[in-house]
Amino acid sequence: REHRLVMARKLGRPLVTIENVHHVDGDKLNNDPSNLTIVSNSEHQKLESHQTKSLLKEIARLKSILLLHNIPF
């Protein structure tokens, strides 16, 4: 995957399988080296879970705005 290749180039070495590359801003299409960091598997799961919860909250907030203004979704 592209983010792993970008991180390997950034580090100047191949990644090992236990290294997880995390997108700091949560945008999996943003493979800018400054947006990538290596984390442990457990840390990566926690970060992904937190980002998913935040995204679901934002979707609920936007849905309530649409309902308030009678805009179908």
Side-chain angles (χ1 to χ4, degrees), residues 60-73:
R61 185 185 76 79
L62 293 172
K63 281 183 177 181
S64 67
I65 291 170
L66 292 173
L67 285 171
L68 180 67
H69 296 284
N70 295 319
I71 300 170
F73 56 92

Side-chain angles (χ1 to χ4, degrees), residues 2-39:
E2 183 181 349
H3 61 288
R4 290 187 63 81
L5 295 172
V6 171
M7 181 55 81
R9 266 187 256 129
K10 179 180 175 178
L11 297 174
R13 65 169 175 79
L15 297 178
V16 294
T17 54
I18 63 168
E19 292 178 309
N20 292 279
V21 179
H22 177 68
H23 292 84
V24 177
D25 69 359
D27 179 359
K28 295 186 186 301
L29 298 177
N30 180 2
N31 291 312
D32 187 274
S34 65
N35 186 47
L36 302 175
T37 188
I38 293 180
V39 295

Side-chain angles (χ1 to χ4, degrees), residues 20 22-23 39-54:
N20 292 279
H22 177 68
H23 292 84
V39 295
S40 69
N41 192 44
S42 62
E43 187 178 3
H44 196 237
Q45 288 175 346
K46 288 176 191 173
L47 289 166
E48 292 292 320
S49 175
H50 175 73
Q51 287 178 338
T52 299
K53 288 177 187 175
S54 295

